[in-house]
Amino acid sequence: MFESVLVANRGEIARRIIRTVQRMGLRAVAVYSEADADLPFVREADEAILLGPANPAQSYLDVDRVLRAARDSGAQAVHPGYGFFSENAAFARAVIDAGLVWIGPSPEAIERMGDKINARNLMEEAGVPVAAGTRTPVTDLEQAVSAAAEIGYPVMVKTAGGGGGIGMGVAHDEAGLAKAFEQASRAAARFGGTPAILLERYIERARHVEVQILGLADGAVVALGERDCSVQRRHQKVVEETPSPGITQELRERMLAAAVRAGEAVGYLGAGTVECLVDADKQDFVFLEMNTRLQVEHPVTELVTGVDLVELQLRIAAGETVELSVAPRGHAIEFRVYAEDPKRFFPGPGTIGVWAEPSGDGVRVDSGYAEGNTVTPFYDPLMAKLCVFGQTRAEALERAREAVAGFKIEGPKNNLPFCAELLEHPEFVDGNYDTGLVSRMRA
């Protein structure tokens, strides 16, 4: 096992990784920008190194500065967290070439699954169900119109690279396709790194359900259960829970088996997630994409399995033999607490005047901020993740209501009022919701 880990990230995920690194008796090295100098993760690390200005390109996304920090601190391994460099194959290679341990899948696996078209074709070859869609990149509107006619409307239009729901759009006809294609093309140029566009058959009443997998050092791939991520705004997750209340046990078993095949197909190592769309009416599913990193919502899996996914990532990266016998129990729900308007979901940065986290049985808070800190406009506005566990979903919901009510934040706008509203919405309470729930709540 290596003795020190540089965490190439910020905020709550850096803090969460640092906690496990130190619990294992290892040295945690943080890197930070000038804008983040006062955040808790900087203070709690064993060593913290300033990268540069707030602009991510000059700090968190500067390869040379991050690797220099690793060298200067004597770090032996690098954990990327999520976002930033976590799914960047070139950075993973740079880490390995520098003689450091990369805590994540191989650069080759990242590349193979990073292009949604290649990933889709690979999954189809591996026997994982995929939606009707394009098998080669769509580069202009004429091709898109032809492809949509063959697939059949409605279609989902999205970038072949990138993630987080950026650039996604639904088209019900040719006029809508032109608009969605233009939107996706702009997003591809800005975020995806490739101009390629992908079209797939759109499922009208879909649930977004993902499977947590773990690729072990001996080549085995195991599934640690699923997470329902269907509560979304602008195609981006807000609330996640496990187990999914909207799928049958038979469907669950098929999805877990397919996720294992997906991991085996790319020789996956470490923690990853196979994301799927579930047709809520037909109780069937198709592959959506694979995230080759630790997910934001990993705590709910930890709460129902009792495992520490970050610890497993570290042990697997170190080449240790990991024996897993996991039987998920109970129910867990995560609420992403954002600095944003709870009605329109626009970011609302500001200085935190009051920050009081809830506590109690079954309550876990992974936070990146504290009283007196400032949420700046330079990064994602996620402030914390409020997670609850109960023996049943009903108990988890009740604990969630108490925890949301007990979480006090003053200063920046925040979405806790939305979380409270969601917890009283009949569709969510009944578990009979889909990815259109938030849009219906705001219609």
Side-chain angles (χ1 to χ4, degrees), residues 51-107:
L51 291 176
N55 182 350
Q58 297 175 281
S59 52
Y60 298 108
L61 290 176
D62 188 313
V63 176
D64 291 337
R65 294 188 189 200
V66 174
L67 292 182
R68 189 182 308 122
R71 183 181 65 248
D72 292 348
S73 66
Q76 298 171 317
V78 175
H79 195 306
Y82 56 73
F84 290 137
F85 283 132
S86 63
E87 294 180 283
N88 187 309
F91 179 71
R93 281 198 181 92
V95 169
I96 294 168
D97 290 345
L100 304 170
V101 176
W102 168 250
I103 302 172
S106 69

Side-chain angles (χ1 to χ4, degrees), residues 362-429:
V363 177
R364 167 177 168 176
V365 180
D366 286 13
S367 59
Y369 293 84
E371 199 164 284
N373 292 155
T374 297
V375 181
T376 68
F378 305 112
Y379 314 110
D380 184 274
L382 180 66
M383 295 188 289
K385 299 178 311 198
L386 171 58
C387 307
V388 294
F389 171 83
Q391 295 301 325
T392 64
R393 187 170 188 265
E395 183 177 52
L397 288 172
E398 187 54 39
R399 286 178 172 174
R401 293 185 184 99
E402 295 175 1
V404 167
F407 204 152
K408 305 301 181 184
I409 303 174
E410 293 181 10
K413 296 177 181 178
N414 67 79
N415 68 335
L416 286 170
F418 165 77
C419 297
E421 179 185 352
L422 177 73
L423 283 163
E424 301 303 330
H425 194 282
E427 288 183 45
F428 185 75
V429 173

Side-chain angles (χ1 to χ4, degrees), residues 99-160:
L100 304 170
V101 176
W102 168 250
I103 302 172
S106 69
E108 293 75 22
I110 295 173
E111 284 178 334
R112 295 180 78 183
M113 301 310 292
D115 183 302
K116 293 185 178 69
I117 297 174
N118 288 340
R120 182 185 180 284
N121 295 341
L122 180 61
M123 291 300 99
E124 189 172 25
E125 292 173 7
V128 178
V130 299
T134 51
R135 289 181 168 80
T136 57
V138 176
T139 57
D140 58 48
L141 182 57
E142 184 178 351
Q143 289 181 7
V145 170
S146 176
E150 183 176 344
I151 296 168
Y153 289 99
V155 294
M156 172 66 79
V157 184
K158 56 188 179 182
T159 63

Side-chain angles (χ1 to χ4, degrees), residues 179-319:
K179 181 178 179 181
F181 186 83
E182 179 184 1
Q183 172 183 298
S185 297
R186 286 199 307 268
R190 186 176 180 188
F191 302 107
T194 170
I197 302 300
L198 167 67
L199 269 66
E200 287 183 330
R201 176 74 180 180
Y202 177 68
I203 300 174
E204 291 280 9
R205 205 169 86 82
R207 296 187 81 117
H208 186 152
V209 181
E210 64 188 23
V211 177
Q212 175 71 59
I213 64 168
L214 201 66
L216 306 181
D218 64 2
V221 177
V222 297
L224 300 181
E226 85 286 356
R227 297 183 288 254
D228 198 313
C229 311
S230 303
V231 180
Q232 304 178 3
R233 42 76 164 140
R234 298 191 300 275
H235 301 294
Q236 295 179 318
K237 305 166 188 173
V238 186
V239 176
E240 303 91 1
E241 62 178 310
T242 187
S244 169
I247 63 174
T248 63
Q249 182 60 27
E250 185 271 337
L251 177 57
R252 175 175 293 110
E253 291 172 0
R254 283 196 287 131
M255 292 182 70
L256 268 57
V260 169
R261 291 198 300 275
E264 292 172 340
V266 293
Y268 200 80
L269 184 71
T273 303
V274 178
E275 306 209 16
C276 303
L277 286 180
V278 172
D279 188 317
D281 297 319
K282 296 180 180 179
Q283 281 291 293
D284 207 355
F285 75 99
V286 293
F287 171 80
L288 178 62
E289 64 182 16
M290 185 173 182
N291 287 317
T292 53
R293 55 171 168 80
L294 188 69
Q295 289 282 78
V296 177
E297 57 272 18
H298 75 274
V300 293
T301 296
E302 294 182 326
L303 286 171
V304 299
T305 61
V307 304
D308 183 328
L309 286 171
V310 173
E311 178 179 347
L312 293 176
Q313 284 187 297
L314 298 176
R315 295 196 181 284
I316 291 168

